[in-house]
């Protein structure tokens, strides 16, 4: 009975009042047997909270059949803090139209079935697109990119079904699923990566619901950043850490401008700061929702009672590959990769530093496989390249079985 149920939540105002400061990610707390959310506003510190009686109640309109993959983020007994008030998932008319269609015809079986049965005069394409990006159709089809690309086709199909509602084909034989109502295939589209999926999800919902931006890079990053934020130690020695930047802002301090932000690696969120010199030099790296690898000192935070970071160096993932990677190992079996083309398209980069010009690149080692034998060949300086994601994808496309990976240890 639950298969194909489409799910999302609507908000109802239970009171009015003043908003206060908000966190970047939702805070979840257990609370009775319903979903509540405090509406929060921007521009004020969380430490300067004021009494607020603005409460938004989540009313369960629809829910996904396979909601188990949301259990770590949302359950049926939680309090969620939302980022901005007033927060609206979709219009009341659209909700009523969807609920009415499901109650009269049962769970939806596909995007085409959904568009055919719901009153489209009360539900436009932008609303459907927002629902797809929020994950409301995940129980029906997990490839959100294909669903978004198919919305126009689904509306055309629904209009054709409506026009042919009282007509029948010669060979339909009374079958409701004859050629006149046969659903076309979804538009073929590559599934979104974790970052793109979560970014669009946040645009639609207001926060990340089905995952974390750190998920996409965690496996590689943990090869050289061993310490998680929840394992941070109060030490005078700099520590190598990684996480996603959030709540980035710049303030005027006694010693010039100071960049403040939060660093989040899923294990913990911690406050961090960077002085004006570092922020100015690395402005393009220190942005919300971006991964950074930092060398930082942990200091006691007199406000929270925990620790905060004083950042001394910052790298993005590509720069960290150059700094901490030893070489790229590429498997070869019978066909040599086009090394010259990769080096030409992704050359080593030269950057100015306090020590002079700095060359950023990574060497290559071929792991040659032949029948009954194998060997490793270290290529010379002429094979060094800049290890961007695009460069690594090019190496993987030429490697045996796609085996091309950076060795850190």
């Amino acid at each position: 009975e639950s298969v194909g149920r489409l799910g999302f939540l609507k908000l109802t105002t239970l009171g009015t009042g003043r908003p206060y400061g908000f966190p970047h990610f939702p805070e979840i707390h257990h609370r009775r047997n319903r979903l509540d959310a405090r509406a929060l506003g921007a521009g004020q510190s969380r430490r300067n909270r004021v009494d607020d009686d603005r409460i938004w109640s989540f009313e369960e309109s629809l829910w996904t059949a396979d909601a188990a993959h949301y259990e770590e983020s949302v359950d049926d007994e939680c309090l969620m803090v939302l980022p901005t008030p007033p927060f609206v998932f979709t219009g009341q008319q659209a909700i009523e139209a969807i609920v009415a269609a499901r109650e009269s015809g049962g769970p939806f079986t596909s995007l085409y079935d959904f568009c055919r049965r719901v009153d489209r005069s009360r539900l436009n394409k932008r609303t459907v697109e927002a629902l797809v990006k929020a994950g409301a159709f995940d129980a029906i089809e997990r490839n959100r990119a294909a669903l978004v690309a198919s919305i126009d086709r689904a509306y055309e199909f629904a209009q054709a079904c409506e026009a042919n509602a009282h007509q029948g084909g010669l060979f339909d034989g009374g079958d409701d699923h004859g050629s006149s109502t046969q659903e076309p295939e979804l538009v073929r589209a590559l599934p979104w990566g974790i970052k793109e999926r979560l970014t669009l999800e946040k645009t639609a919902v207001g926060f990340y619901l089905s995952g974390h931006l750190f998920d996409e890079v965690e496996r590689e990053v943990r090869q050289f950043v061993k310490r998680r934020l929840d394992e941070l130690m109060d030490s005078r020695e700099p520590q190598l850490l990684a996480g996603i930047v959030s709540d980035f802002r710049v303030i005027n301090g006694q010693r010039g401008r100071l960049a403040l932000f939060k660093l989040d690696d899923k294990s913990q969120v911690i406050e961090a700061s960077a002085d004006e010199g570092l922020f100015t030099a690395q402005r393009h790296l220190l942005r919300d929702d971006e991964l950074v690898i930092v060398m930082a000192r942990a200091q006691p935070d007199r406000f929270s009672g925990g620790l905060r970071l004083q950042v001394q160096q910052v790298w993005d993932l590509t720069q960290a590959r150059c700094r901490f990677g030893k070489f790229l190992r590429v498997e070869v079996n019978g066909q040599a990769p086009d090394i010259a083309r990769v080096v030409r398209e992704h050359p080593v980069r030269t950057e100015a530093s306090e020590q002079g010009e700095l060359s950023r690149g990574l060497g290559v080692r071929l792991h040659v496989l032949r029948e009954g034998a194998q060997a490793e060949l270290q290529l010379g300086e002429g094979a060094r390249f800049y290890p961007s994601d695009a460069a690594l994808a090019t190496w993987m496309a030429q490697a045996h079985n796609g085996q091309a990976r950076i060795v850190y240890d």
Side-chain angles (χ1 to χ4, degrees), residues 112-381:
Y112 296 106
D113 179 53
F114 173 82
C115 293
R116 179 177 61 84
R117 289 165 49 190
V118 175
D119 184 354
R120 295 183 304 285
S121 65
R122 304 169 68 186
L123 185 77
N124 59 36
K125 295 180 182 179
R126 290 185 63 184
T127 301
V128 177
E129 181 177 340
L131 290 173
V132 172
K133 291 178 179 178
F137 285 82
D138 283 3
I140 296 172
E141 169 60 53
R142 300 301 290 271
N143 187 347
R144 299 181 188 179
L147 289 172
V148 168
S150 303
I151 291 176
D152 286 340
R153 182 180 291 183
Y155 265 67
E156 292 172 1
F157 168 77
Q159 291 168 359
C161 289
E162 188 175 20
N164 299 326
H166 303 292
Q167 302 179 20
L170 180 62
F171 301 103
D172 285 356
D175 186 359
D176 290 339
H177 294 281
S179 59
S180 60
T181 58
Q182 183 66 40
E183 295 183 0
E185 293 184 356
L186 293 175
V187 175
R188 292 186 179 182
L190 290 175
W192 294 326
I194 294 176
K195 184 174 183 178
E196 184 176 8
R197 187 191 78 231
L198 292 176
T199 300
L200 293 172
E201 188 174 283
K202 182 181 178 183
T203 301
V205 181
F207 50 84
Y208 306 117
L209 184 63
S210 63
H212 194 288
L213 284 174
F214 198 66
D215 293 337
E216 188 170 38
V217 296
E218 183 175 17
R219 184 174 181 180
E220 179 179 0
V221 168
R222 288 297 175 224
Q223 293 184 60
F224 60 95
V225 180
K226 306 294 185 180
R227 179 165 294 159
R228 305 188 313 180
L229 291 180
D230 64 351
E231 300 170 340
L232 191 63
M233 299 185 300
D234 184 359
S235 172
R236 294 183 178 181
E237 296 299 322
Q239 302 175 62
L240 185 63
L241 305 165
I244 304 297
V245 174
S246 64
D247 287 357
F248 181 85
R249 59 205 183 277
V250 178
I251 64 173
N252 292 319
Q254 295 178 349
R255 300 181 180 179
R257 294 200 304 167
L258 187 67
L260 303 177
F261 58 95
K262 293 177 182 176
L263 201 62
D264 181 5
D265 71 347
K266 296 197 308 180
S267 70
Q268 187 170 311
V269 181
I270 189 169
E271 295 277 357
S273 63
D275 61 29
E276 184 173 6
L278 180 60
F279 160 63
T280 302
Q282 306 294 349
R283 185 190 301 267
H284 61 292
L285 301 182
L286 293 173
R287 296 182 299 175
D288 279 349
D289 300 332
E290 292 295 330
L291 168 75
V292 292
I293 292 87
V294 301
M295 189 69 76
R297 281 197 178 99
Q299 300 176 330
D301 188 342
R302 61 183 179 179
F303 294 104
S304 67
L307 297 174
R308 64 180 297 112
L309 298 175
Q310 182 181 9
V311 178
Q312 299 174 328
Q313 290 179 278
V314 181
W315 302 273
D316 63 16
L317 182 55
T318 304
Q319 293 171 346
R321 288 166 178 162
C322 299
R323 173 67 177 80
F324 302 103
K326 292 187 175 181
F327 55 85
L328 177 74
R329 175 181 281 127
V330 182
E331 283 198 5
V332 178
N333 188 1
Q335 183 175 358
D338 190 347
I339 300 171
R341 179 172 70 87
V342 178
V343 173
R344 184 173 61 253
E345 294 177 354
H346 307 280
V348 172
R349 295 188 181 181
T350 302
E351 299 178 2
S353 68
E354 295 179 356
Q355 293 78 29
E357 289 191 346
L358 181 64
S359 176
R360 294 189 181 276
L362 195 63
V364 178
R365 184 176 295 183
L366 301 182
H367 185 201
V368 182
L369 303 174
R370 304 299 293 169
E371 186 175 353
Q374 57 181 316
E376 289 206 353
L377 301 177
Q378 178 68 50
L379 302 185
E381 287 293 311

